[in-house]
Amino acid sequence: MADQAAIAPTPKEKPAVHPGLKLALEFGPLLAFFFANARGEWLSERVGFLGALGEPIFVATAVFMVATIISLSLSWLLTRTIPIMPLVAGVVVLIFGALTLWLHDDLFIKIKPTIVNGLFSALLLGGLFIFRVSLLRYVFDAAFQIDEEGWHKLTIRWGLFLAVMAVVNEVLWRNFSTDFWVAFKVWGNLPITIAFTLAQMPLIVRHSLDKDE
């Protein structure tokens, strides 16, 4: 038995993914969405079935859905797992994208960020104050080793941030053009999210369980 235990295969660790590739997988579909909206007429002329979709926003929605499926598939093939936030966001993209194309109404794709951000905000804040559980640690998949107070503070901050971003999306799609909304979705959301994430590093360092690291 001891010999058998000694030669028993150890569980395989999840393959590591280069940060640049991970970023491309997560934000590639957004870039495809922006490009397709900006060059919708050009794509419609060169790809026959896209021309039947109509305005550039509908062409962009179709491209966004396909790019999302490709991104999630590559993530699974490379790591045999899909992070919870991209998975949920991807499912919402496919559902609301399908409604957008089926009903030929861009309202559904425009409220998608509101739904996703609002849902995660409610889950984070609700889990913390109702069930006394920080769901954020599962979202980050143990990327940070911090104490309970740190998780509590970080969860509140992320919950409020996502709620604000949901409100921002509502203000933008209701009061600005579709092109402006698409541009902000790609070139505004990403820098804001990165800046917010970096702003949390002092809190993470203060509450780190491994001070040396």
Side-chain angles (χ1 to χ4, degrees):
M1 293 293 292
D3 293 338
Q4 291 180 352
I7 63 175
T10 57
K12 293 183 178 180
E13 296 182 356
K14 291 189 297 184
V17 179
H18 190 278
L21 177 57
K22 184 177 180 181
L23 189 67
L25 290 174
E26 292 185 3
F27 295 103
L30 278 178
L31 295 175
F33 182 62
F34 174 80
F35 172 80
N37 182 74
R39 304 299 301 273
E41 295 181 359
W42 181 84
L43 287 173
S44 297
E45 292 173 357
R46 286 159 177 78
V47 184
F49 69 90
L50 290 179
L53 297 177
E55 300 173 20
I57 185 62
F58 300 111
V59 174
T61 298
V63 171
F64 193 21
M65 295 170 66
V66 173
T68 296
I69 293 173
I70 293 174
S71 174
L72 294 177
S73 300
L74 288 175
S75 180
W76 172 256
L77 289 173
L78 292 172
T79 66
R80 292 301 174 185
T81 185
I82 301 177
I84 184 63
M85 289 189 74
L87 176 61
V88 173
V91 171
V92 176
V93 165
L94 297 179
I95 293 174
F96 281 76
L99 288 172
T100 297
L101 299 179
W102 181 36
L103 300 175
H104 207 69
D105 188 345
D106 61 4
L107 167 66
F108 296 99
I109 198 64
K110 287 181 176 178
I111 65 174
K112 189 276 295 182
T114 303
I115 299 298
V116 172
N117 289 330
L119 175 62
F120 277 111
S121 175
L123 288 174
L124 291 178
L125 296 178
L128 188 64
F129 293 110
I130 297 177
F131 300 103
R132 305 297 179 183
V133 175
S134 173
L135 298 176
L136 192 66
R137 71 177 70 205
Y138 303 105
V139 173
F140 282 143
D141 193 23
F144 304 121
Q145 298 297 323
I146 60 178
D147 58 31
E148 288 300 320
E149 182 183 358
W151 281 119
H152 185 91
K153 293 179 179 179
L154 199 60
T155 299
I156 292 176
R157 292 185 182 187
W158 270 101
L160 294 177
F161 172 74
L162 292 172
V164 169
M165 294 306 291
V167 172
V168 168
N169 184 70
E170 284 295 296
V171 171
L172 290 178
W173 80 259
R174 291 176 184 273
N175 296 282
F176 295 88
S177 68
T178 296
D179 288 343
F180 182 88
W181 172 80
V182 172
F184 183 85
K185 179 178 174 62
V186 179
W187 307 114
N189 278 344
L190 178 57
I192 291 173
T193 302
I194 292 175
F196 174 80
T197 303
L198 293 177
Q200 308 316 304
M201 294 311 298
L203 182 148
I204 292 171
V205 171
R206 286 198 305 271
H207 293 276
S208 175
L209 294 176
D210 190 342
K211 297 297 183 181
D212 294 335
E213 183 175 354

